[in-house]
């Protein structure tokens, strides 16, 4: 198992890995979850997949994607969009409630957003925990290397059952709300105490 952080600067060094990650996202989010998302060439994408973002990918030696995640700076701007949680709060995304945060969505160099977190459905249940652990650890490492002391993410509201196992300090940032029949909550992953 390998973990790679991709950027537009290093995509060319990793062959089909970026495309494979977008294919894996399509398989899970569009085919399995039936989310109405943009797709092309068998890949899922959205307005946040820009050169400002980074993608953390857990994969095998053949490039088969096991898990993935996207990191976007809260300072990002692309047309009317910034980052998913902030745009939802501003009412720009009709699939996510605007009341997802207790306070105004932050915009700061030290705050990034973690989105599109997934573990492939092809991964057997018994292997998911170590893969998820690797993904979250690499996400934390990548975020810290980018200067982030905090990452916001929209997670399944069951995060309180497992977050201590991955060694990340997490805090609820908004109410529990139902999206597509699943209880979700915006959570802050706090890295400030781990910055070197």
């Amino acid at each position: 198992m390998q973990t790679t952080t991709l950027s537009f600067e290093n995509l060319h060094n990793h062959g089909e890995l970026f495309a494979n990650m977008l294919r894996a996202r399509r398989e899970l989010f569009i085919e399995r979850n039936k989310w109405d998302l943009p797709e092309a060439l068998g890949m899922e994408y959205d307005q946040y997949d820009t050169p400002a973002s980074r993608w953390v990918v857990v994969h095998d030696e053949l490039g088969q994607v096991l898990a993935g995640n996207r990191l976007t700076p809260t300072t990002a701007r692309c047309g009317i969009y910034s980052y998913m949680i902030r745009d939802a709060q501003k009412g720009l995304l009709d699939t996510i409630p605007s009341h997802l945060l207790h306070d105004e969505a932050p915009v700061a160099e030290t705050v990034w957003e973690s989105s599109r977190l997934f573990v492939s459905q092809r991964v057997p249940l018994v292997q998911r925990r170590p893969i998820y652990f690797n993904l979250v650890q690499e996400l934390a490492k990548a975020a810290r290397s980018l200067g982030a002391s905090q990452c916001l993410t929209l997670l399944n509201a069951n995060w309180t059952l497992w977050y201590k196992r991955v060694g990340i300090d997490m805090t609820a940032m908004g109410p529990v709300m139902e999206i597509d029949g699943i209880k979700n909550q915006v959570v802050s992953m706090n890295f400030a105490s781990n910055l070197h």
Side-chain angles (χ1 to χ4, degrees), residues 52-137:
S53 293
R54 306 293 187 275
W55 299 265
V56 178
V57 184
V58 180
H59 56 97
D60 65 17
E61 59 282 346
L62 301 175
Q64 180 180 331
V65 174
L66 307 173
N69 179 72
R70 177 179 58 212
L71 292 170
T72 303
T74 60
T75 56
R77 297 290 300 173
C78 185
I80 63 170
Y81 299 105
S82 57
Y83 67 97
M84 191 183 70
I85 290 170
R86 184 170 185 253
D87 291 346
Q89 187 179 55
K90 290 180 167 287
L92 297 175
L93 306 176
D94 58 4
T95 56
I96 303 173
S98 61
H99 66 280
L100 73 170
L101 289 170
H102 295 307
D103 299 311
E104 188 173 335
V107 175
E109 296 280 335
T110 58
V111 181
W112 283 58
E113 177 188 58
S114 165
S115 60
R116 288 295 196 264
L117 191 143
F118 72 93
V119 175
S120 170
Q121 292 301 300
R122 295 177 188 213
V123 174
L125 207 50
V126 70
Q127 294 175 3
R128 286 175 179 245
R129 185 179 287 176
I131 288 171
Y132 191 75
F133 180 81
N134 280 358
L135 177 64
V136 173
Q137 291 302 310

